[in-house]
Amino acid sequence: METVTGGSPLENMRWQQEEVKVSDGKQGMLTQEDFFALLTQELAHQDPTNPTDNNEMISQMTAFSTTDGVSQLNDQFTNFASSMSSSQALQASSLVGRSVLVDENVFGMAAGEEVKGKLVTDQPASNVNIYVENAAGEIIQTVPVGNVKSGEFGFTWNGMTSAGEPAAEGAYRFRIAGLVDGQASELQAMTYRKVDSVTLAGAGGNIVLNLNGGSSMALTDVVEVSES
């Protein structure tokens, strides 16, 4: 570095500090190397009659160390989040062609398909029936279940109407009703839906599963994954 003659030590220090090269990295961000280069210059050109206070210097070093540590931690969290997103995307892609359990009773069905569902109740129920309704709200099939204990119970609709004919392709829903403590009640119905495709960057950056029947759901809303 060129030696400067003349002027006060403070002026020389200012000039030399301006000449310290900023190391490669994020533009405008003081790196650890830059910090110690400036600190060395400050010590070398301090006023001998009024040296820098040790406590003040330690405070500066501690503050920079903390800031640098937080910056590195943020970078690590960003990398971790990116890795998690990639892992979730890989897992989601393996769901294409499989069935997932959805906490809703509406579903789309192709002609000749069977549809699986789950009856969920936190209390015993009696005289339970599963009603299959079309988009117009008409009951096309009634499946008597009888008495059930509290818990979850799987069932399958074979896609046939009460007239013994295959139901037409379209939208349907399961409605489950029974008596709970002697009172007429509707019980929770969930359905298994086939995953047609996966959108890896949906609304809000979430991974979205595109289900048969035209609806979609977030990967985080999946209750259960079926083998088929």
Side-chain angles (χ1 to χ4, degrees):
M1 182 179 293
E2 182 180 355
T3 303
V4 177
T5 58
S8 67
L10 180 59
E11 291 174 345
N12 292 339
M13 183 184 70
R14 287 176 179 171
W15 186 90
Q16 289 174 333
Q17 284 180 335
E18 291 172 357
E19 288 297 309
V20 174
K21 293 184 179 181
V22 177
S23 61
D24 293 337
K26 297 179 180 178
Q27 187 175 6
M29 180 175 290
L30 185 67
T31 65
Q32 190 176 51
E33 181 182 349
D34 302 329
F35 174 77
F36 283 111
L38 291 172
L39 183 62
T40 300
Q41 292 296 323
E42 182 180 356
L43 292 175
H45 296 87
Q46 63 181 333
D47 185 354
T49 63
N50 185 26
T52 303
D53 182 70
N54 288 337
N55 292 333
E56 181 181 350
M57 184 172 298
I58 292 174
S59 176
Q60 293 178 12
M61 295 177 66
T62 301
F64 181 82
S65 178
T66 300
T67 303
D68 187 57
V70 170
S71 177
Q72 293 182 25
L73 187 61
N74 287 337
D75 290 340
Q76 291 175 359
F77 270 116
T78 300
N79 294 335
F80 176 73
S82 177
S83 176
M84 287 294 292
S85 296
S86 298
S87 177
Q88 283 188 327
L90 181 62
Q91 292 177 351
S93 64
S94 68
L95 295 178
V96 176
R98 303 182 67 178
S99 295
V100 294
L101 185 62
V102 182
D103 189 10
E104 61 180 37
N105 63 343
V106 179
F107 58 93
M109 187 193 72
E113 278 190 344
E114 291 186 343
V115 181
K116 294 182 178 181
K118 266 192 175 181
L119 181 162
V120 182
T121 176
D122 56 1
Q123 298 182 64
S126 61
N127 196 27
V128 176
N129 290 284
I130 300 174
Y131 301 100
V132 182
E133 299 179 347
N134 60 20
E138 300 168 336
I139 298 175
I140 65 168
Q141 180 62 281
T142 300
V143 180
V145 177
N147 300 335
V148 297
K149 299 178 181 179
S150 59
E152 299 181 358
F153 306 91
F155 61 87
T156 301
W157 174 45
N158 61 7
M160 304 296 288
T161 68
S162 56
E165 300 174 349
E169 181 175 346
Y172 295 88
R173 75 165 183 165
F174 290 128
R175 183 170 61 84
I176 306 177
L179 299 178
V180 177
D181 291 334
Q183 299 293 321
S185 304
E186 294 233 352
L187 307 180
Q188 182 181 4
M190 296 191 291
T191 56
Y192 286 94
R193 306 283 297 281
K194 182 180 177 182
V195 179
D196 288 338
S197 63
V198 175
T199 302
L200 301 183
N206 294 323
I207 296 174
V208 176
L209 306 182
N210 303 309
L211 310 176
N212 67 325
S215 62
S216 301
M217 67 177 293
L219 176 63
T220 53
D221 292 334
V222 172
V223 178
E224 180 184 307
V225 178
S226 175
E227 294 183 358
S228 60

